[in-house]
Amino acid sequence: MSNYNKKQFEAQNKIEYNNDGYYVYNKKSSIFSALKKKKEKLLTVVTPVYNAEKYLSKTVDSVINQTIGFDNVEYILVDDGSNDNSRPMLLEYAQKYQNMMVVFLKENTGTPAQPRNLGIELATAPYITFLDADDWLENNGLEVLYNILKETNDDYVVGKTIQVENKSTKIVGEHESCKERRGIQATSIPHIFQHLGPRSRMMKTSLLRDNNIRYPEMKYAEDKQFFIDVLVATKTISTTTNVIYYLNRLDENDASLTKQTSIMQKMDTNIKVIDYVKAKKLDEKTEKMILNRLYEFDCITRFFNRQHFFKSKNKQAYYDKFNEVIETTKDLSYSIEDQFFHPINKVVYNMFLNGEQDKIADLFKWDKKEKVKDIVILENEPYMVTPFEDKKHIRVSMAGFYEEGAFGESDYVLDFHLYGDSIDNVNDIILRDRGNTVNQYSFELERIDKHHFRLTLPLTTMLEFGKGSYAIFIRYNEYQKISLIRMDYTQKVMDKKLYQFYTTINSNLGLNIK
């Protein structure tokens, strides 16, 4: 923390807040106005800032260094009353770059909603995107998104987000970036409402203004409601496999509002969003898709299948809050459980309705702890075997079983069996580098009979793989994945490299190349 003094900073820099409680540095500058008239910007980037000095330079520099050319970007940074060194840092940037507009709010609002909304109001470019002050962009991210929107005239585009953790990375919301799509309806992607943060997205500024779409001023879930409105309003969208955005989930990054908001506060805002969606009177298909995300993901998975619930000494408070959720379902013309993606959530929901709340924690704790589950096939459908007599078998959506894998003279042949709801929608098998999530290989599968599938992998292709550890997945429904379980160990040395197919700690098929 720096020795920043707010009053001293305001006096030294002659900051005078307007009647709306904010001050825009450089907006009235004659140089800025002249530049603005000379060259219209292609797009606007909006970043809300609050006590972000630790990562702010990385964030801002990732915009400055974009391949689209920073001169083509209008960058609006709205500081929400920071009391660290963020404001002096922003002022220094704005003094250097005339197309950078820095806005200082007089008082902290407690939510990124107002800073982002102010960015929308001040934006002058035809396209707009949002970047949080602790995240960063791929160096060509803006160019990729902009070119797609110019090419398609779609309202909205979304690309790939990489979540960065201390020891690993992972792709966020793979449904959004598993393939190149152009000019499609948002609701043609079944999980489109499952991830609704501001990352990796660009849209027409006019879409927000014409439909009066703004972030609600809530401490939590404001982006969820905002992007529900955006996706409902869009006529067509595009998606791309290109990496656009890096989401900061490093352990030392603990300043986010999400980490500072209690689970009960989060549930209160989730209930507000549920009521908001119901009041919109959308067509039933769209409403079901949105509410499924809110009910299943936010109100069951994030509420009950988490350590905060397991460790709580006041579980009755959880049950009382979930009863408030149940109340919101009573005027629906359909059962919410019919829309659930995960069968175990359907079981938990019915346990709650049947007064078996005390069993929920035990079931979810077992599910979390038991990484290697016994899967059985009953009447050609997959079930996991639990230790609970009254819930002995719980359906799983898909399961894959390794049968045999062997190296031949010219190829590696893998045989396996698949069971489940999407047996007819299997796309391919992918090998993903555990050390670099973006690095993966995809291969077509041969279907031998209803459940029997085969991969034939030429050794010449395997020689092209880099060294490392690879996770192996069967991909279905375009973006959903399962691993193969129960396998044998096999290996081969080729071109001074050792290729080992092995069983992972979770009893799945993996590949090591040393």
Side-chain angles (χ1 to χ4, degrees), residues 264-278 294-295 299 320-326 328:
M264 294 304 170
Q265 288 175 309
K266 291 177 181 179
M267 286 298 288
D268 286 338
T269 56
N270 286 328
I271 291 170
K272 283 183 181 179
V273 178
I274 288 171
D275 289 336
Y276 176 81
V277 171
K278 288 169 57 183
L294 295 166
Y295 284 126
C299 296
D320 292 343
K321 185 60 66 177
F322 195 70
N323 272 320
E324 293 181 36
V325 174
I326 298 294
T328 68

Side-chain angles (χ1 to χ4, degrees), residues 99-163:
N99 56 324
M100 189 178 289
M101 185 188 300
V102 171
V103 184
F104 297 131
L105 296 184
K106 185 176 183 179
E107 304 292 343
N108 174 252
T109 66
T111 168
Q114 188 171 323
R116 287 179 184 148
N117 288 339
L118 193 51
I120 294 171
E121 298 301 330
L122 295 172
T124 64
Y127 300 102
I128 190 168
T129 187
F130 301 93
L131 171 65
D132 282 352
D134 50 357
D135 302 333
W136 58 94
L137 296 171
E138 179 70 20
N139 69 336
N140 69 338
L142 296 181
E143 184 175 16
V144 169
L145 297 182
Y146 174 80
N147 285 343
I148 291 173
L149 289 183
K150 285 295 288 183
E151 168 202 332
T152 62
N153 198 33
D154 286 337
D155 294 318
Y156 171 99
V157 61
V158 57
K160 185 169 292 180
T161 296
I162 303 297
Q163 180 167 307

Side-chain angles (χ1 to χ4, degrees), residues 59-109:
T59 301
V60 174
D61 289 346
S62 78
V63 179
I64 293 172
N65 296 322
Q66 285 292 299
T67 58
I68 199 169
F70 189 49
D71 286 346
N72 293 311
V73 176
E74 176 183 58
Y75 194 10
I76 302 175
L77 298 107
V78 183
D79 184 274
D80 197 8
S82 293
N83 51 35
D84 67 354
N85 203 40
S86 295
R87 288 193 166 195
M89 291 172 68
L90 290 173
L91 190 59
E92 186 177 344
Y93 271 113
Q95 289 169 342
K96 186 176 181 180
Y97 298 99
Q98 295 294 338
N99 56 324
M100 189 178 289
M101 185 188 300
V102 171
V103 184
F104 297 131
L105 296 184
K106 185 176 183 179
E107 304 292 343
N108 174 252
T109 66

Side-chain angles (χ1 to χ4, degrees), residues 470-485:
Y470 292 83
I472 299 176
F473 302 106
I474 308 301
R475 186 160 53 182
Y476 61 98
N477 292 340
E478 296 184 343
Y479 49 85
Q480 293 176 284
K481 307 184 304 299
I482 56 167
S483 300
L484 295 177
I485 55 178

Side-chain angles (χ1 to χ4, degrees), residues 21-22 47 55 106 118 142 178 187 275 284 309 332 345 506:
Y22 66 88
T47 295
Y55 296 102
K106 185 176 183 179
L118 193 51
L142 296 181
C178 64
T187 52
D275 289 336
E284 189 171 288
F309 173 61
L332 296 174
N345 289 333
N506 293 329

Side-chain angles (χ1 to χ4, degrees), residues 119-343:
I120 294 171
E121 298 301 330
L122 295 172
T124 64
Y127 300 102
I128 190 168
T129 187
F130 301 93
L131 171 65
D132 282 352
D134 50 357
D135 302 333
W136 58 94
L137 296 171
E138 179 70 20
N139 69 336
N140 69 338
L142 296 181
E143 184 175 16
V144 169
L145 297 182
Y146 174 80
N147 285 343
I148 291 173
L149 289 183
K150 285 295 288 183
E151 168 202 332
T152 62
N153 198 33
D154 286 337
D155 294 318
Y156 171 99
V157 61
V158 57
K160 185 169 292 180
T161 296
I162 303 297
Q163 180 167 307
V164 181
E165 300 172 358
N166 281 55
K167 295 182 179 179
S168 63
T169 62
K170 67 179 182 181
I171 300 171
V172 176
E174 289 196 46
H175 60 283
E176 297 175 327
S177 61
C178 64
K179 64 185 293 188
E180 298 289 333
R181 306 179 181 98
R182 300 291 184 269
I184 64 168
Q185 290 189 328
T187 52
S188 68
I189 305 175
H191 284 77
I192 193 64
F193 294 100
Q194 294 298 305
H195 289 269
L196 296 171
R199 72 289 175 292
S200 288
R201 307 164 195 277
M202 187 179 289
M203 62 220 74
K204 290 180 177 177
T205 310
S206 60
L207 177 75
L208 306 182
R209 291 181 176 159
D210 293 349
N211 294 280
N212 195 28
I213 298 173
R214 298 294 186 273
Y215 289 88
E217 294 192 8
M218 301 188 294
K219 190 176 180 181
Y220 178 78
E222 81 293 334
D223 49 0
K224 192 184 306 181
Q225 183 170 309
F226 177 85
F227 281 104
I228 286 172
D229 284 342
V230 169
L231 288 169
V232 167
T234 56
K235 293 182 177 65
T236 54
I237 71 170
S238 288
T239 71
T240 178
T241 60
N242 285 276
V243 176
I244 305 296
Y245 196 107
Y246 293 91
L247 184 65
N248 185 344
R249 288 296 182 265
L250 298 169
D251 290 346
E252 61 268 24
N253 182 27
D254 54 6
S256 70
L257 279 172
T258 299
K259 292 185 179 181
Q260 298 172 14
T261 308
S262 76
I263 185 60
M264 294 304 170
Q265 288 175 309
K266 291 177 181 179
M267 286 298 288
D268 286 338
T269 56
N270 286 328
I271 291 170
K272 283 183 181 179
V273 178
I274 288 171
D275 289 336
Y276 176 81
V277 171
K278 288 169 57 183
K280 290 176 76 71
K281 302 296 182 184
L282 301 168
D283 66 89
E284 189 171 288
K285 176 188 175 183
T286 304
E287 181 184 89
K288 283 181 176 180
M289 291 178 68
I290 299 171
L291 290 183
N292 173 69
R293 179 253 151 86
L294 295 166
Y295 284 126
E296 183 178 12
F297 185 64
D298 292 311
C299 296
I300 294 182
T301 301
R302 282 183 168 177
F303 194 53
F304 288 128
N305 195 8
R306 292 292 186 269
Q307 291 297 330
H308 57 73
F309 173 61
F310 302 156
K311 294 178 180 179
S312 174
K313 295 179 180 179
N314 183 17
K315 289 187 170 52
Q316 187 59 47
Y318 282 78
Y319 305 147
D320 292 343
K321 185 60 66 177
F322 195 70
N323 272 320
E324 293 181 36
V325 174
I326 298 294
E327 284 298 312
T328 68
T329 71
K330 292 186 174 178
D331 58 348
L332 296 174
S333 61
Y334 50 85
S335 173
I336 63 167
E337 65 178 293
D338 292 341
Q339 317 306 314
F340 288 178
F341 288 113
H342 303 290

